[in-house]
Amino acid sequence: MAIRNIRELGDEVLTKKCKPVTEMTSRNRELIEDMLETMYEAGGVGLAAPQVGVLKRIVVIDVTGEDPYILINPRIVESSGEQTGQEGCLSLPGKSGQVTRPNYVKAVALDVNMREYELEGTELLARAICHEVDHLDGHMYVEKVEGPLQDVTNEDEDA
Ligand code: NI
Protein backbone atom coordinates (compact mmCIF):
# COMPACT_ATOMS: atom_id res chain seq x y z
CA MET A 1 0.00 0.00 0.00
CA ALA A 2 1.13 3.50 -0.68
CA ILE A 3 -0.03 7.04 -0.17
CA ARG A 4 -0.73 8.64 -3.53
CA ASN A 5 -0.43 12.27 -4.47
CA ILE A 6 -3.80 14.04 -4.35
CA ARG A 7 -4.45 16.18 -7.41
CA GLU A 8 -5.77 19.66 -6.78
CA LEU A 9 -8.29 21.94 -8.47
CA GLY A 10 -6.78 23.22 -11.70
CA ASP A 11 -5.36 19.81 -12.59
CA GLU A 12 -6.96 18.74 -15.86
CA VAL A 13 -7.43 15.16 -14.68
CA LEU A 14 -10.19 16.40 -12.35
CA THR A 15 -12.25 17.58 -15.32
CA LYS A 16 -12.28 14.28 -17.22
CA LYS A 17 -15.01 11.66 -17.40
CA CYS A 18 -13.78 8.37 -15.94
CA LYS A 19 -14.04 4.97 -17.62
CA PRO A 20 -16.00 2.04 -16.16
CA VAL A 21 -14.03 -0.78 -14.56
CA THR A 22 -14.55 -4.03 -16.47
CA GLU A 23 -12.52 -6.47 -14.35
CA MET A 24 -10.88 -6.63 -10.96
CA THR A 25 -7.18 -6.82 -11.57
CA SER A 26 -4.32 -6.76 -9.10
CA ARG A 27 -3.64 -3.25 -10.36
CA ASN A 28 -7.18 -2.15 -9.47
CA ARG A 29 -6.97 -3.85 -6.04
CA GLU A 30 -3.76 -1.99 -5.35
CA LEU A 31 -5.35 1.27 -6.48
CA ILE A 32 -8.28 0.73 -4.09
CA GLU A 33 -5.98 -0.05 -1.16
CA ASP A 34 -3.91 3.02 -1.93
CA MET A 35 -7.03 5.17 -2.23
CA LEU A 36 -8.21 4.05 1.23
CA GLU A 37 -4.81 4.72 2.75
CA THR A 38 -4.57 8.10 1.02
CA MET A 39 -8.08 9.10 2.17
CA TYR A 40 -7.38 8.13 5.81
CA GLU A 41 -4.00 9.82 5.82
CA ALA A 42 -5.54 13.03 4.48
CA GLY A 43 -8.41 12.86 7.00
CA GLY A 44 -11.09 12.77 4.30
CA VAL A 45 -14.44 10.99 4.19
CA GLY A 46 -14.23 10.07 0.52
CA LEU A 47 -11.89 9.90 -2.43
CA ALA A 48 -12.44 9.27 -6.13
CA ALA A 49 -9.83 7.70 -8.42
CA PRO A 50 -9.33 10.83 -10.57
CA GLN A 51 -8.20 12.62 -7.39
CA VAL A 52 -5.14 10.38 -7.49
CA GLY A 53 -4.81 10.81 -11.25
CA VAL A 54 -6.55 7.61 -12.38
CA LEU A 55 -9.50 7.93 -14.75
CA LYS A 56 -11.46 4.90 -13.50
CA ARG A 57 -14.92 4.83 -11.96
CA ILE A 58 -13.78 3.89 -8.46
CA VAL A 59 -14.72 5.64 -5.23
CA VAL A 60 -13.94 5.01 -1.58
CA ILE A 61 -16.06 6.51 1.19
CA ASP A 62 -15.86 6.28 4.97
CA VAL A 63 -17.91 8.80 6.91
CA THR A 64 -17.29 7.22 10.34
CA GLY A 65 -13.63 6.24 10.07
CA GLU A 66 -14.40 2.57 10.59
CA ASP A 67 -16.84 1.63 7.88
CA PRO A 68 -15.27 1.95 4.43
CA TYR A 69 -17.33 1.50 1.29
CA ILE A 70 -15.77 0.75 -2.05
CA LEU A 71 -17.93 1.71 -4.99
CA ILE A 72 -16.96 0.59 -8.47
CA ASN A 73 -18.97 1.99 -11.39
CA PRO A 74 -21.43 3.60 -8.95
CA ARG A 75 -24.76 4.93 -10.16
CA ILE A 76 -27.23 6.95 -8.12
CA VAL A 77 -30.58 5.29 -8.76
CA GLU A 78 -32.75 7.10 -6.24
CA SER A 79 -32.59 10.36 -4.34
CA SER A 80 -34.95 12.40 -2.24
CA GLY A 81 -35.13 15.30 0.15
CA GLU A 82 -32.64 18.10 0.46
CA GLN A 83 -29.79 19.11 2.73
CA THR A 84 -27.81 22.31 2.63
CA GLY A 85 -24.45 22.40 4.35
CA GLN A 86 -20.73 22.98 4.17
CA GLU A 87 -18.79 20.75 1.84
CA GLY A 88 -15.08 20.36 1.31
CA CYS A 89 -12.80 18.41 -0.99
CA LEU A 90 -9.33 16.94 -0.60
CA SER A 91 -8.58 18.44 -4.02
CA LEU A 92 -9.24 21.91 -2.63
CA PRO A 93 -7.61 21.85 0.80
CA GLY A 94 -8.45 24.49 3.36
CA LYS A 95 -11.69 25.56 1.70
CA SER A 96 -15.35 24.77 2.07
CA GLY A 97 -18.56 26.02 0.60
CA GLN A 98 -22.28 25.66 0.98
CA VAL A 99 -23.81 23.05 -1.29
CA THR A 100 -27.35 21.68 -1.48
CA ARG A 101 -27.59 17.93 -2.02
CA PRO A 102 -30.30 15.28 -1.69
CA ASN A 103 -30.71 14.14 1.92
CA TYR A 104 -31.14 10.53 0.84
CA VAL A 105 -29.57 8.63 -2.02
CA LYS A 106 -29.48 5.04 -3.11
CA ALA A 107 -26.53 3.97 -5.23
CA VAL A 108 -25.88 0.74 -7.09
CA ALA A 109 -22.21 -0.21 -7.39
CA LEU A 110 -19.87 -3.16 -7.65
CA ASP A 111 -17.77 -4.25 -4.68
CA VAL A 112 -14.13 -5.38 -4.84
CA ASN A 113 -15.33 -8.79 -6.02
CA MET A 114 -17.26 -7.12 -8.84
CA ARG A 115 -20.56 -8.09 -7.22
CA GLU A 116 -23.37 -5.59 -7.44
CA TYR A 117 -24.74 -4.13 -4.23
CA GLU A 118 -26.89 -1.24 -3.08
CA LEU A 119 -25.73 1.47 -0.76
CA GLU A 120 -28.29 3.74 0.86
CA GLY A 121 -27.21 6.85 2.71
CA THR A 122 -28.62 9.91 4.39
CA GLU A 123 -27.03 13.16 5.49
CA LEU A 124 -23.20 13.03 5.28
CA LEU A 125 -23.12 9.64 3.53
CA ALA A 126 -25.62 10.84 0.93
CA ARG A 127 -23.57 14.00 0.45
CA ALA A 128 -20.35 12.02 0.08
CA ILE A 129 -21.87 9.64 -2.49
CA CYS A 130 -23.08 12.58 -4.63
CA HIS A 131 -19.76 14.41 -4.27
CA GLU A 132 -17.68 11.38 -5.29
CA VAL A 133 -19.91 10.36 -8.21
CA ASP A 134 -19.58 13.94 -9.48
CA HIS A 135 -15.77 13.52 -9.45
CA LEU A 136 -16.13 10.51 -11.79
CA ASP A 137 -17.81 12.77 -14.33
CA GLY A 138 -15.20 15.50 -13.98
CA HIS A 139 -17.18 17.75 -11.66
CA MET A 140 -16.21 19.42 -8.41
CA TYR A 141 -18.45 20.87 -5.70
CA VAL A 142 -17.22 24.38 -6.47
CA GLU A 143 -19.49 24.29 -9.53
CA LYS A 144 -22.48 23.91 -7.21
CA VAL A 145 -21.38 26.16 -4.36
CA GLU A 146 -23.83 28.77 -3.10
CA GLY A 147 -22.02 31.95 -2.14
CA PRO A 148 -18.31 32.36 -1.50
CA LEU A 149 -15.85 29.65 -0.55
CA GLN A 150 -14.69 29.85 3.04
CA ASP A 151 -11.36 29.18 4.67
CA VAL A 152 -11.48 26.27 7.07
CA THR A 153 -9.02 24.80 9.47
CA ASN A 154 -11.01 21.64 10.15
CA GLU A 155 -10.91 19.45 7.06
CA ASP A 156 -12.50 16.41 8.64
CA GLU A 157 -15.30 16.18 6.14
CA ASP A 158 -13.32 16.70 2.97
CA ALA A 159 -13.98 14.31 0.16
NI1 NI B 1 -13.82 15.87 -3.59
Side-chain angles (χ1 to χ4, degrees), residues 13 21 26 35 73 78-79 81 94 109 144:
V13 78
V21 175
S26 56
M35 284 173 64
N73 304 341
E78 227 180 285
S79 65
K144 295 191 160 97

Side-chain angles (χ1 to χ4, degrees), residues 44-102:
V45 300
L47 189 72
Q51 292 183 276
V52 293
V54 180
L55 291 173
K56 292 181 178 175
R57 301 188 79 80
I58 301 176
V59 156
V60 296
I61 292 175
D62 190 345
V63 297
T64 65
E66 51 196 25
D67 194 15
Y69 295 107
I70 290 140
L71 295 100
I72 298 166
N73 304 341
R75 290 178 293 123
I76 292 172
V77 294
E78 227 180 285
S79 65
S80 64
E82 201 175 271
Q83 57 172 319
T84 298
Q86 290 300 118
E87 194 162 317
C89 180
L90 293 174
S91 294
L92 189 51
K95 298 284 182 189
S96 76
Q98 184 174 290
V99 181
T100 298
R101 301 280 193 185

Side-chain angles (χ1 to χ4, degrees), residues 46 51 88-91 131-132 135 140-141 158-159:
Q51 292 183 276
C89 180
L90 293 174
S91 294
H131 178 114
E132 301 310 333
H135 273 301
M140 293 223 354
Y141 81 93
D158 281 3

